[in-house]
Structures are given as structure tokens and as C-alpha cells.
Amino acid sequence: MRYSIKKVLSWFLCALARYRLGRSHTVVVAVAGIVGKSTAKRTVAKKLKKFGEVFVSKKNYNTEIGLPLTLLDLEPPYSQTVGEWGTILYRAFVRAFFSPPLPRLAVVEFGVAEKGDMLQLLKIVTPIVAVITNISVSDFNSQTTLEDLSIEFAVLAASVPKQGLVVLNGDNNYAKIVKSAAKARIITYGAKEGNEVHPVAPKVMSSASDTATLAATIISDFISQRGTP
Amino acid sequence: MQQLAGVELSKIKQIELLAASRPNTVSLAQGIPSFDTPKEIKKATITALNAGRVAKYSLAPGLIELRELIEGSLAEEGSQYDAQSEIIVTAGSIEAISSTMLALLEPLDEVILFSPSYVSYNQSIRLAGAKPVYVALDEASGWQFDKEAFLAALNKKTKAVLICNPNNPTGTIFDKQQLLAIAEIAYDRGIYIIMDEVYKDFLYEEDKTSLYSLTQEVRYRDLVIRIYSFSKAFSMTGWRVGYLVAAEQNARKILAVHDALVTCAPVISQYAAIKALEMPRKAWLTYLNEYKGRRNLMYDHLNRISALHFTVPSAAYFFFPRVNATRIRDYHNSEMLSLALLQVAGVAVVPGAAFGPSGEHHLRLSFGRDRTTINEGMKRLSDFFAAYAL
Ligand SMILES: Cc1ncc(COP(=O)(O)O)c(C=O)c1O
């Protein structure tokens, strides 16, 4: 897709998704990281079910086009033809204004591959809670370094309002950068010394589901203290 | 190298090689989809290629984005596996199978294989220095699992059972009840259950729209290895990409072998696989309907050949007719018959014996090929049987 068309499209979808989120008064938990964000997304969503219905973003639709679409209960067109896009835009418009509101809680996945991606995503949603899973291993494309990406996660941490919460895997090499950016309360979890929350079993947390469970518990405690809107 | 004793080029590939050396041969032998890879997948791959994402190795278990998508698709059907430590993207499913064998078997271990089932299992097992042990499926019940025969084949050396579901070459679907029966026996004895589900989406009966998998049971988690390939459903045999799913301690061992064999699956193909997983059900149904049409077409042809008896496959894309020896002049066995079909009639089929002892006196005919090929191949087959009829 041509760059300019993509920009216009993303602006339009973003406005529609924001509108739907706004009229639904949804509290958004954003899950980001390089590794383990899908697992974390599902684990957190499962845990939050006890507070009521939870919206979960679909598949890996976590970009500036995919994220607004999933918030409008749509999927990016598989074939990317003009006709398909036409139908989708029409539906997006109808859903934004006329579909039932989203649940009060939403867990959405944020995907960043390059510098600047996070700002685009933050134009769509302002999370009250941000979870940052793993920033340590990557097979990302050559142009983007881990430092670049950790700055993206710092941008996310900074965007969370004061009364919100940032949940950070403190075992990340880049945790410091992210930590210093946050103005909200920040809770770090992980196996290493210095983290606030540790796994129950004193083992190295290798699997994404171990870490996801820790993050989910922290968030669940936070929501239960804060109350759902 | 001792391991290689008995590892030989599969009969399918041998027939293909012979067929390739003979002009004008029509092949119903290899199980390759006739379609080109869907254009959406090609387009997404080109985008990744042009963006400079495919030049480097991925992590050994594959691109995390792809693994997380796989994890999500498994979670949707009720199988909980961790993208980071329990999913490995492989260079096709055969690499997944061979890596699994090499990682989990010791020399002289025995692996139960159903007969008939996919030819290359035998070589994969031998490659690991282990011994394939065939257990016959019950032809009379449409090639279903025979519990007695299975129990009789087990002994102290049995280390794994390999289930092809749906089964190549018979198109049999092993249902939940049968799989649980196998799993319980395996569980009692601590035998690995390796499941090859490359045809999991090729289901033709209206009341069976999805396949039950043992990965859905937490009880068997430590024993189950589930294997899938993008080759068949997405017409991607040449891309060499598939994946396997296993509990962490097994995945770790398999990963070491995978890393030693291929480092990682081709990265360009991994990007293709990401797009493939986004294919909507509706798009797949168009393909499935076409395969169903071809199945009916082959059925009509086969029905007119009185020397061949067959059941209609519920899945995959093969017919596996039994040859009625009393109706054919000079008949010896399936291999000789296949050679004669190739040399006299110019049609390549796979001799049933290639799939295990109980495959003898059968032929495997693929309807993965286009209708013109099916029509021409079946016409040649039918002319041959007419000429050699007793
Ligand atoms: C049952 C079965 N398993 C595995 C394979 C291997 O497929 P690939 O290595 O292309 O994934 C095939 C191919 O014919 C097959 O039929």
C-alpha cells in the first residue's frame, strides 16, 4: 500500500476506533514487548474476566491499521483489494457510531517494529495500565536496534497517566530506560533481585506463560483496588 | 554410518524420478496440491523481502511473531502451548518429524507406525537408528485403529507411536475416542505420541469440520508432539515450512537437533506462513470445495474400474483402492503393477506396499492434481485395466 494512502486510512480508522472507545468508557490494558505479548494478553484477559466482560484484541492485529480495526470488531482485509477496503471502511464507520459499546475492560496488544510505531498506537488508545513483557531477545529487522525499541517502550510507559500502572518485566536489560520514563506507579516483576514481584518457585522464568501469570496477578490486584468504571 | 543402513529414497520419490525420465507421463503419484501459492501469501512475502526482513537467520525456533500467531491459533481450539518455549517452526513437517525422532529416540528403540501410513516415517525412524514396527489398521472398518493389534505390538523397547491424522494414504480420520484410547495406553507406558496433522483441514464430511487433537488434553502434555505443515493447505510444498508443538522439556531437546540440522526454517517462508495463518476460513473453503469436486471426479472414474475396490476417503486427498488380483492378468504385487502402469499406460501411481505391509495390493491415487490430470490419468488407468482384464 502506498504510504500516503496508508496514512489517511490509519487516521480515519484511528478516529473511528477512538470514538467507539470513548463512548464505551473502556479501561484499556496495553500489552507490549518483543516476546510473549500474545501469551500475556490472553493470560491477563483471562484473569480480568472476574471483573466482567473483557474485550481482547484479535490475533496479531497490533499495528496502526490492525489495532483500530480489531477495536471495531473488524479484521484487515486478507486480499487487500480496493473493494475489500471499501466494505471495511463502510463497516468501520457503522460500527463506530452504531454498534453496542465495548466492555468496560479491554486488553490490547501493541506491536512495535520500528521507531515511531508507539506514538501511532498511542493516538488510538490511552492505556490506564501498560504491561511490558520481554525486551531481551529479538529477531527484528536490521535497521531497528533493541535500544530503539526500548525507547518505544519508554514512550508507552510515559503515556500512562499518574493514577495508572506500569507493569514491567524487570529482568530486561533495558528496564531502566523504561522505568525512568514512567510517571505512573511502576511495578517490576521477574526472577532477578530488585524486582518487586518474584515468581513463587525460585526458578528462572523461561516461559512466557510464567511471566504472564505474574503480570496478570499484579494487574488484577490493581483493578480490584481501583474498581471497574 | 550405521544409522543409514536401510534409509533409502522413498518409493514415491523413486516413482517420481522414473516418471520424470519418461515424457508424457501423467502423475497421480505425489501428494502435491496443483495450485500455486495464494497470491495474498506471495504478496505479503514480497513485502517482507523488499523491506529487508528476510536476509538474516531468525531465532532457531522461528520468528516470534509467527510463533505467537501459532500459539494463538492453538489456544482458539483449546490447546495451551507457550510460543517462546514450546513451538518450533521447521523446514517443512518432514524436518519436524526427523528432528523429533533424532531428539527423542535412542538406537534400537521401537516406534509404532500404522500400516498403511505415510512412506517417509520409516526413513525418519531409521535415520535415528531406531526400528519402525508396523501395526495394521483394519481395512474392513475403513482403515480404523485396531486396539488389539496395537497392544500386541508394544514391548519394553517401544518408545513412541506415530499417528498420521487424517491418515495418508487412506484418508481415515481417527476420532476423539480412538485417539484417547491410544493416548491412555501410551500414558500408562510412557510412550511418546507423535501426531502428524498436515491434512487437518482437508475434511470432506459435513459433520466433521474440525479435527480433534490430543494437544487439547493436559494429561498427555508431556508425551505429545504435534506436527503441522504449510505445504498442503496453502499449496506451499516448495517453501519448506511447518511447525511442531511439544511440552517444554521435549521441545528443548528437539530444538537442539533442529538447530544442528537447519539453524532455522527459511525466514522468507516464515513470513509467508504468517500470512497463511491469516487466511480466512471462507478462502480455504473455496479450495476445499475444489478438492471435494476432484474427489467426486476420481470416484466416478474409479467406480467404473471393476478390478479396484475402494472406500471413499473422508479426508486428505488420496484414494487407496485394493487391487482385485483375480481380475488382472499377470498380477504379482503392487510394485510390479505400478511399474507396469508407468511403463505401459504412462500413468504414475504409488504402490501400496510403500506405506507398510498392509498396504500391499493397493494403489495410492492422488486427487491433489487438477481435473485435466485426473481425467487423463484415470482414463489411462482404466484403459490399462480393460486391456489386462481377466
Ligand atoms: C502425511 C504427511 N506428512 C508429512 C509430509 C511432508 O510434508 P512437508 O515436509 O512438505 O511438510 C507429507 C507430504 O507428502 C505427508 O503426506
Side-chain angles (χ1 to χ4, degrees), chain B residues 233-310:
Chain B
F234 304 103
S235 309
M236 286 171 55
T237 51
W239 296 73
R240 310 311 303 131
V241 60
Y243 65 79
L244 72 83
V245 176
E248 188 178 353
Q249 68 277 18
N250 298 329
R252 205 180 310 125
K253 289 184 202 159
I254 300 169
L255 184 63
V257 177
H258 164 78
D259 183 31
L261 289 177
V262 296
T263 307
C264 64
V267 173
I268 189 165
S269 307
Q270 295 191 50
Y271 278 100
I274 288 175
K275 186 66 183 180
L277 284 176
E278 285 170 14
M279 184 195 252
R281 173 99 190 133
K282 214 170 82 199
W284 165 244
L285 288 180
T286 334
Y287 287 96
L288 189 66
N289 273 333
E290 174 57 21
Y291 284 117
K292 209 166 170 178
R294 294 174 184 183
R295 182 182 72 151
N296 297 344
L297 179 66
M298 192 171 261
Y299 172 86
D300 290 341
H301 282 287
L302 273 173
N303 240 348
R304 283 185 239 118
I305 305 176
S306 60
L308 298 177
H309 297 288
F310 61 92

Side-chain angles (χ1 to χ4, degrees), chain A residues 140-143, chain B residues 45-56 271:
Chain A
F140 265 98
N141 54 63
S142 44
Q143 291 83 356
Chain B
T45 312
I46 292 167
T47 307
L49 174 71
N50 287 336
R53 300 206 180 115
V54 308
K56 288 187 182 167
Y271 278 100

Side-chain angles (χ1 to χ4, degrees), chain A:
Chain A
M1 212 182 323
R2 278 230 314 280
Y3 184 73
S4 53
I5 301 180
K6 193 171 164 183
K7 278 289 150 209
V8 173
L9 195 66
S10 127
W11 180 86
F12 186 70
L13 291 174
C14 156
L16 293 175
R18 263 207 102 88
Y19 181 75
R20 187 177 187 202
L21 270 174
R23 71 177 167 87
S24 314
H25 306 287
T26 302
V27 167
V28 178
V29 177
V31 183
I34 293 171
V35 178
K37 51 187 181 302
S38 296
T39 317
K41 174 184 72 179
R42 271 199 308 282
T43 316
V44 170
K46 215 160 136 195
K47 196 100 183 179
L48 296 187
K49 286 246 163 75
K50 65 176 177 210
F51 302 112
E53 206 191 329
V54 180
F55 173 87
V56 191
S57 67
K58 282 214 199 71
K59 290 194 183 170
N60 62 340
Y61 300 137
N62 57 21
T63 60
E64 58 188 301
I65 302 274
L67 181 62
L69 282 174
T70 181
L71 286 167
L72 295 161
D73 298 320
L74 292 166
E75 294 196 358
Y78 173 66
S79 302
Q80 310 263 346
T81 58
V82 175
E84 265 186 322
W85 270 118
T87 317
I88 283 193
L89 286 176
Y90 169 73
R91 288 203 182 130
F93 193 78
V94 173
R95 298 235 166 127
F97 291 96
F98 305 110
S99 65
L102 288 164
R104 289 297 166 86
L105 281 171
V107 182
V108 301
E109 188 177 317
F110 274 13
V112 289
E114 276 156 31
K115 270 194 237 175
D117 282 357
M118 190 58 82
L119 272 178
Q120 293 304 322
L121 294 170
L122 289 169
K123 280 184 192 156
I124 308 163
V125 285
T126 314
I128 295 288
V129 179
V131 186
I132 295 150
T133 59
N134 204 322
I135 339 179
S136 56
V137 256
S138 149
D139 37 34
F140 265 98
N141 54 63
S142 44
Q143 291 83 356
T144 316
T145 65
L146 271 183
E147 274 94 6
D148 289 341
L149 290 175
S150 60
I151 290 167
E152 294 298 297
F153 298 122
V155 169
L156 171 63
S159 79
V160 176
K162 263 207 188 91
Q163 70 278 22
L165 175 72
V166 176
V167 182
L168 172 68
N169 182 338
D171 293 350
N172 288 322
N173 293 337
Y174 298 92
K176 254 200 199 124
I177 305 180
V178 179
K179 218 170 159 176
S180 61
K183 53 180 182 287
R185 163 127 205 261
I186 186 154
I187 299 181
T188 57
Y189 64 93
K192 285 189 189 160
E193 292 276 316
N195 288 315
E196 282 166 67
V197 179
H198 292 278
V200 184
K203 60 170 183 171
V204 182
M205 291 192 298
S206 56
S207 80
S209 50
D210 287 344
T211 53
T213 308
L214 278 189
T217 311
I218 299 170
I219 294 165
S220 161
D221 290 348
F222 174 79
I223 299 280
S224 94
Q225 279 163 23
R226 182 182 183 275
T228 39

